[in-house]
Amino acid sequence: MKTPAFWYRPAGLAAWTLAPIGALYGLAGRLRMAKGTPYEAGVPVLCVGNLVAGGAGKTPVCIAVAEALRARGVAAHFLTRGHGGRERGPLPIDLARHGADDVGDEALLLAEHAPCWVARDRAEGARAAEAAGAGAIVMDDGFQNPGLAKNCSLVVVDGGVGFGNGRLVPAGPLREPVACGLARADAVVVMGEDRAGVERLVGGALPVLHARLEPAGEAMDLSGRAVLAFAGIGRPEKFFATLEALGARVVERVGFADHHPYRPEEIMALADRAAGLGAMPVTTAKDAARLPAALRSLVRVVPVRAVWREPALLDRLLDTVLTRGGSHGQAA
């Protein structure tokens, strides 16, 4: 579904009406977290999660963390649930064989950078990654999953909207109360300008790392170009703003629900609409993974990467994790 607009406005009638359901959602989450004993992997497990439903920039942060580990000689493997895919795993991603219908869009993006495992059961996925030679596991999402013990948990927050109206799903965007989530975290990553006062809310209780999403590849040549932008991510507005920051003339914006599975007729209609406007259809790399293969050439893809304001802060955090996390394998 699309992110409800009222989640990111001061709590009103809709939020108050849905608050009892949110209380039940929170109770169910607490009971789930209390169940069982998490599996302790033999290699460091770094979880990149968030406290809200929808995108906050987790996947680019995962990739940046894995690259930093690789620079230290650590063979990092990704672990993800494979949201939107049919496979339950544990399954290693094969980019030549798997598509978004199989393993979800995020897994495909991760697998372009390092070995990636899809597993609904995170403990089983961790065991499979260890057996395959992982020196560390970078888990995309799963902060609220109790099945696998984490050596380090990074909570990623969109600096533009923070924690929204502060209510639990469906009354607001929160998967769990902010205080409960931050109590289990090792650091907070604020993506973009902190207009929501996230760092002030954290109040020095945790390290706060700042990062931004920066277009990669040949995106700079979109400056001055007319584009029809479409995206099915947590907050499509972030993508539209990125294009405007590049200097692109965004003549039309089309937002879809997160993980929207694009049909051929939808892409043809978007391409025709763009042609009528004298524009180029553009989308995110995450959306591109869900485009019909035969029509991908009609759409310009704008990949992004996470860039740290102070890389030394991440370095110190990783040094601590690797020291206390025990032995690790060497990168190939």
Side-chain angles (χ1 to χ4, degrees):
M1 71 172 190
K2 285 189 178 181
T3 300
F6 74 84
W7 280 4
Y8 292 100
R9 294 196 294 258
L13 179 61
W16 283 104
T17 301
L18 294 169
I21 303 176
L24 292 175
Y25 179 92
L27 175 61
R30 290 194 298 274
L31 293 174
R32 183 176 65 253
M33 291 296 296
K35 286 176 57 179
T37 302
Y39 169 65
E40 296 273 356
V43 299
V45 174
L46 299 92
C47 175
V48 179
N50 65 7
L51 303 186
V52 302
K58 297 187 304 296
T59 300
V61 171
C62 280
I63 293 168
V65 168
E67 289 175 345
L69 289 169
R70 184 175 181 84
R72 287 165 167 72
V74 180
H77 286 210
F78 294 116
L79 175 61
T80 182
R81 180 182 183 276
H83 184 82
R86 65 173 68 94
E87 296 287 353
R88 299 190 62 84
L91 177 72
I93 304 304
D94 181 347
L95 290 172
R97 187 163 59 91
H98 295 131
D101 289 344
D102 302 310
V103 296
D105 48 22
E106 290 151 346
L108 297 177
L109 293 182
L110 294 169
E112 293 178 358
H113 298 270
C116 180
W117 297 81
V118 159
R120 303 290 173 89
D121 185 322
R122 306 301 173 86
E124 289 300 319
R127 291 186 183 97
E130 288 180 87
I137 294 170
V138 179
M139 185 161 60
D140 186 355
D141 212 354
F143 182 63
Q144 288 81 19
N145 186 296
L148 179 61
K150 293 94 172 172
N151 296 90
C152 179
S153 291
L154 304 180
V155 169
V156 183
V157 187
D158 183 337
V161 294
F163 303 110
N165 64 10
R167 304 304 177 95
L168 296 176
V169 173
L174 289 176
R175 297 176 174 184
E176 61 177 311
V178 173
C180 295
L182 295 183
R184 301 196 318 279
D186 294 279
V188 171
V189 179
V190 178
M191 295 299 294
E193 183 182 352
D194 187 6
R195 297 195 300 270
V198 176
E199 187 164 13
R200 184 177 65 253
L201 178 63
V202 174
L206 293 169
V208 177
L209 288 69
H210 291 266
R212 69 182 186 276
L213 294 179
E214 183 178 274
E218 300 176 353
M220 296 306 295
D221 64 12
L222 289 176
S223 179
R225 299 285 298 272
V227 301
L228 181 152
F230 68 96
I233 56 178
R235 284 214 308 129
E237 298 83 4
K238 290 169 60 177
F239 176 59
F240 306 151
T242 296
L243 292 173
E244 290 176 333
L246 281 172
R249 292 190 297 112
V250 184
V251 298
E252 188 163 331
R253 300 163 173 80
V254 184
F256 293 90
D258 198 11
H259 302 287
H260 177 74
Y262 292 105
R263 302 187 305 274
E265 57 268 26
E266 287 177 318
I267 302 306
M268 290 303 302
L270 289 168
D272 290 343
R273 175 67 177 160
L277 294 169
M280 174 190 303
V282 298
T283 195
T284 72
K286 182 177 172 181
D287 286 280
R290 289 176 269 117
L291 296 178
L295 300 179
R296 285 177 190 164
S297 62
L298 299 179
V299 179
R300 176 69 177 273
V301 179
V302 180
V304 295
R305 63 190 184 100
V307 178
W308 303 99
R309 180 192 296 179
E310 298 179 77
L313 294 180
L314 177 66
D315 290 338
R316 288 202 292 269
L317 185 67
L318 293 181
D319 288 342
T320 300
V321 173
L322 294 176
T323 299
R324 74 189 184 202
S327 60
H328 56 269
Q330 299 300 304

